[in-house]
Structure formats: structure tokens, C-alpha cells
Amino acid sequence: MALLITDECINCDVCEPECPNGAITQGDEIYEIEADLCTECVGHYETSQCVEVCPVDCIPKDPDHEESYEELYSKYLKITGESE
């Protein structure tokens, strides 16, 4: 499942550079995560890097974009152009 930045975001700018897929961008008021690009860092890291660095814990899983590990890994392969 992709991640979601809630309105508790304080725009501290630490999450955006941590995303290996470029899924995090500055929205109108807070940072946003593009679900089509978010793999929860599957394929890159053991844990979601944006969640690790967020000082206010405002990045939960997005219930509207539920995905299994296999689906996230498949998305990672598609985004990076790598093959198994």
C-alpha cells in the first residue's frame, strides 16, 4: 500500500529528498505522495525512508491504495526498469 502525508505535516522538507522514487512533492499546503510512484521503499530499503525521517509521524499507510509486498516490488521493477 502506498503511503500518505496527513495534514499534520509541518513542511520541514526532510521527506522529499529521502524518496528514491521521487514520489514526494510539495503540494499547495503540505507535501504529497504520488501513489503510483510510492513503493514504501520496497526494492530500495528495508523500511520507508520518509517515515523514518519524519519528525511528526504524519506518514501512515494510505488505506485507499492497499498493495501487497509483491505488488509494491512489481511497481519498483516497473519504475526502475530493472528485471528480476
Side-chain angles (χ1 to χ4, degrees), residues 28 67 83:
D28 290 336
E67 295 168 290
S83 59

Side-chain angles (χ1 to χ4, degrees), residues 6 19-20 24 52 58 64 66 74:
T6 68
C19 181
I24 300 174
E52 294 290 322
C58 69
D64 293 334
E66 293 189 33
S74 178

Side-chain angles (χ1 to χ4, degrees), residues 4-16 24-33 54-60:
L4 169 74
I5 297 177
T6 68
D7 59 4
E8 295 171 357
C9 175
I10 59 172
N11 291 311
C12 65
D13 303 321
V14 298
C15 62
E16 183 181 23
I24 300 174
T25 57
Q26 177 65 52
D28 290 336
E29 298 196 17
I30 61 173
Y31 278 90
E32 299 174 347
I33 296 177
C54 180
V56 292
D57 297 324
C58 69
I59 310 176

